[in-house]
């Protein structure tokens, strides 16, 4: 399944079509889960989670964001993205999945930048989704510069989109040293400095989500998980969205992973978060 994603702009060459990967459960499918991965990583890092989901009766669809994983315009463009355009891509992916899925229910799951993309997608077009799962969504950046500075950075990024900002140390991803080493050694990951275009647009789109948080659709349940020791994104952004949804009467479940770093879906925190996600999805599918 392929979705054309041609768009002009800096950090873009001749674009490859966005390839959606489908994984079908061998059981009667309960729901379809569309996964959006995080910044600088790729869809292949979700193999274990996909196996868990399919083994418990859920179909899964995932893809590599533009300039991530196998969807790279050119080596120098790796991880250089306009997050607003990635949100557009997500909406296109949702449309394609809606037309081909085997189930009546579609659930969106996103981690980090993918969590930001998922939240923005749900706010922009809330219809056709039955639930949302956010893992450490990048609504507020951990070391974000003041808003006026980031606005200037957005303008500078038009001229120098690949200008490096801060690096993300692998020890901030997980407390598991094996996970840290595998991340750095994975050739499909990006381990350099965050391009200015990526940082500034991530900041801007996170601001938009929080500015519109009171518009979270009342009929879309939300599960959010967040590590308390996350230095890559600011946990306050997740809490702000969750509290707003709770005040409005949205069915919300929020779990903070004590001492959890950024990747709460992976080791060592997956022993806590995977059963939580599976239980939430089972309950959701039973209610539909």
């Amino acid at each position: 399944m392929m979705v054309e994603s041609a768009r002009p702009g800096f950090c873009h060459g001749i674009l490859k079509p966005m390839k959606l990967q489908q994984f079908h459960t061998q059981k009667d499918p309960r729901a379809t889960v569309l996964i959006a991965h995080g910044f600088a990583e790729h869809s292949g890092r979700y193999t274990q989670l996909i196996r868990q989901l399919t083994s418990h009766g859920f179909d899964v669809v995932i893809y590599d964001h533009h300039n991530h994983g196998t969807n790279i315009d050119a080596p120098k463009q790796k991880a250089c993205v306009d997050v607003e355009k990635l949100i557009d891509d997500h909406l296109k992916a949702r449309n394609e999945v809606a037309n081909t899925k085997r189930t009546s229910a579609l659930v969106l799951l996103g981690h980090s930048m993918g969590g930001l993309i998922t939240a923005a997608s749900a706010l922009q077009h809330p219809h056709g989704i039955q639930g949302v799962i956010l893992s450490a969504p990048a609504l507020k950046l951990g070391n974000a510069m003041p808003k006026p500075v980031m606005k200037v950075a957005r303008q500078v990024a038009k001229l120098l989109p690949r200008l490096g900002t801060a690096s993300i140390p692998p020890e901030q991803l997980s407390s598991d040293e094996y996970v840290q080493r595998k991340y750095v050694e994975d050739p499909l990951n990006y381990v350099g400095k965050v391009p200015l275009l990526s940082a500034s647009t991530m900041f801007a789109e996170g601001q938009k989500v929080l500015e519109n948080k009171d518009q979270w659709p009342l009929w879309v349940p939300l599960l959010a998980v967040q590590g308390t020791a996350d230095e890559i994104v600011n946990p306050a952004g997740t809490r702000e969205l969750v509290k707003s949804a709770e005040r409005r009467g949205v069915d919300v479940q929020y779990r903070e992973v004590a001492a959890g770093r950024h990747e709460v879906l992976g080791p060592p925190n997956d022993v806590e978060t995977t059963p939580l996600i599976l239980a939430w999805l089972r309950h959701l599918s039973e209610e539909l």
Side-chain angles (χ1 to χ4, degrees):
M1 183 190 308
M2 304 184 84
V3 179
E4 293 295 337
S5 179
R7 52 192 182 271
F10 29 77
C11 282
H12 306 305
I14 299 174
L15 302 190
K16 300 177 182 178
M18 183 171 60
K19 183 178 181 182
L20 304 186
Q21 305 169 65
Q22 293 190 76
F23 301 87
H24 286 170
T25 178
Q26 298 304 307
K27 302 181 179 182
D28 290 332
R30 296 170 173 262
T32 301
V33 181
L34 174 62
I35 298 177
H37 68 75
F39 175 76
E41 58 168 355
H42 60 94
S43 58
R45 301 190 72 232
Y46 290 75
T47 300
Q48 183 58 33
L49 178 59
I50 291 170
R51 286 174 179 163
Q52 290 286 339
L53 290 169
T54 55
S55 68
H56 285 81
F58 299 97
D59 284 350
V60 178
V61 182
I62 193 169
Y63 63 95
D64 284 340
H65 295 302
H66 176 236
N67 277 342
H68 284 74
T70 59
N71 186 18
I72 305 292
D73 292 343
K76 288 184 178 180
Q77 311 287 14
K78 200 170 186 179
C80 185
V81 293
D82 183 334
V83 176
E84 183 178 16
K85 297 183 186 301
L86 299 191
I87 296 168
D88 291 340
D89 285 348
H90 191 264
L91 292 168
K92 292 174 186 175
R94 277 178 53 186
N95 185 62
E96 184 68 20
V97 173
N99 292 330
T100 58
K101 61 184 173 64
R102 304 191 302 166
T103 66
S104 60
L106 174 61
V107 177
L108 309 180
L109 186 159
H111 169 67
S112 190
M113 181 184 73
L116 162 58
I117 290 166
T118 296
S121 176
L123 282 167
Q124 288 185 26
H125 293 281
H127 298 286
I129 52 176
Q130 282 65 50
V132 170
I133 302 171
L134 301 179
S135 163
L139 306 180
K140 287 188 176 182
L141 303 185
N143 296 310
M145 292 180 282
K147 191 172 181 179
V149 176
M150 291 305 291
K151 286 184 176 180
V152 174
R154 183 71 183 272
Q155 296 303 312
V156 175
K158 293 180 179 180
L159 298 174
L160 300 169
R162 297 195 301 272
L163 182 67
T165 59
S167 297
I168 300 175
E171 58 269 19
Q172 290 185 359
L173 297 173
S174 171
S175 59
D176 188 309
E177 293 184 1
Y178 176 76
V179 172
Q180 297 171 19
R181 185 170 67 254
K182 291 292 288 183
Y183 183 89
V184 173
E185 294 174 351
D186 187 339
L188 291 181
N189 288 334
Y190 174 76
V191 294
K193 291 185 176 181
V194 180
L196 184 60
L197 178 66
S198 305
S200 61
T201 57
M202 206 179 309
F203 176 86
E205 296 307 314
Q207 287 286 312
K208 287 181 187 178
V209 167
L210 292 178
E211 288 167 2
N212 293 297
K213 62 183 182 297
D214 292 338
Q215 297 178 27
W216 189 269
L218 295 174
W219 64 91
V220 178
L222 172 63
L223 169 63
V225 291
Q226 176 68 60
T228 60
D230 193 342
E231 297 180 80
I232 294 176
V233 305
N234 187 339
T238 308
R239 296 182 190 124
E240 189 175 331
L241 177 64
V242 165
K243 289 179 180 177
S244 173
E246 286 179 330
R247 283 194 300 269
R248 299 183 62 244
V250 176
D251 181 359
V252 177
Q253 185 172 350
Y254 177 52
R255 174 72 64 85
E256 287 195 343
V257 179
R261 300 186 191 179
H262 186 57
E263 293 193 344
V264 287
L265 297 183
N269 304 123
D270 55 338
V271 294
E272 177 180 349
T273 56
T274 299
L276 173 69
I277 289 170
L278 291 172
W280 187 85
L281 283 169
R282 280 195 298 269
H283 176 74
L284 179 70
S285 61
E286 289 167 0
E287 293 291 311
L288 295 174

